[in-house]
């Protein structure tokens, strides 16, 4: 249910995990983390393109594809020493910073407050107009304008052929 494969669950657990996931890592947390890192890089003199590359582009264009194919454990074992230290040294700090937020979020989902928020915000006669304004504000931020410019620079050539010898395509069976 809600996945490329089946797993045992209940309707309630699927609803709670789906709503928590959408508001958490999948959308809310990822958007907030990207905004925060981009803002810090810009405040410290990095150009919009550099800040966007380090915040979004490397994640979406390389790392997430490798994680999808091989898993996060493989990524930790096969990244640079500086990236490994980043995971080992900073994971606990980020976890302790966001764990209370996830507990609060899950409680809001379980109590129905998140569903009430969606129904309240989408039920008004001017919902589409208000949504358009909120999305335009996010989409017109400097970070996402830099992203649009970056995506326009990506090569339009076809992807290179991948063979069995290409590093990273073997999946977990080789790890």
């Amino acid at each position: 249910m809600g996945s490329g494969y089946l797993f045992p669950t209940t309707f309630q657990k699927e609803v709670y995990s789906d709503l928590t996931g959408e508001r958490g890592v999948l959308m809310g947390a990822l958007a907030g983390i990207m905004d925060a890192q981009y803002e810090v890089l810009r405040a410290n003199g990095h150009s919009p393109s550099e800040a966007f590359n380090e915040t979004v582009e490397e994640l979406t264009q390389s790392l997430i594809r490798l994680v999808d194919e091989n898993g996060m454990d493989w990524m930790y074992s096969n990244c640079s020493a500086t990236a490994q230290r980043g995971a080992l040294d900073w994971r606990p700090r980020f976890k302790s910073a966001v764990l209370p937020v996830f507990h609060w979020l899950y409680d809001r989902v379980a109590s129905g407050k998140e569903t009430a928020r969606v129904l309240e915000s989408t039920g008004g006669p001017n919902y589409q107009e208000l949504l358009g304004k909120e999305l335009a504000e996010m989409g017109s931020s400097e970070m996402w304008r830099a992203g649009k410019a970056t995506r326009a620079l990506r090569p339009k050539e076809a992807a290179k052929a991948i063979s069995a010898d290409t590093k990273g395509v073997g999946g977990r069976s080789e790890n």
Side-chain angles (χ1 to χ4, degrees), residues 38-97:
Y38 183 88
E39 187 175 310
V40 166
L41 290 173
R42 291 291 290 128
N44 283 282
H46 298 270
S47 70
S49 58
E50 180 181 23
F52 182 82
N53 181 68
E54 296 300 331
T55 300
V56 179
E57 196 75 353
E58 287 187 8
L59 170 67
T60 61
Q61 296 305 302
S62 59
L63 295 180
I64 207 67
R65 295 164 194 229
L66 291 169
V67 171
D68 174 53
E69 174 68 27
N70 301 294
M72 207 58 216
D73 55 340
W74 179 91
M75 179 59 73
Y76 293 143
S77 297
N78 290 280
C79 61
S80 68
T82 57
Q84 287 172 335
R85 291 298 348 145
L88 295 169
D89 297 342
W90 286 92
R91 179 179 164 263
R93 289 177 182 241
F94 279 105
K95 181 179 177 180
S96 73

Side-chain angles (χ1 to χ4, degrees), residues 136-155:
E137 181 181 331
M138 187 185 316
S140 65
S141 71
E142 182 186 271
M143 180 172 72
W144 292 113
R145 288 192 324 268
K148 186 175 183 179
T150 299
R151 286 187 299 279
L153 296 172
R154 287 184 193 149

Side-chain angles (χ1 to χ4, degrees), residues 101-113:
V101 176
F102 276 96
H103 282 296
W104 182 61
L105 169 58
Y106 192 88
D107 290 346
R108 285 185 53 85
V109 168
S111 71
K113 290 178 182 175

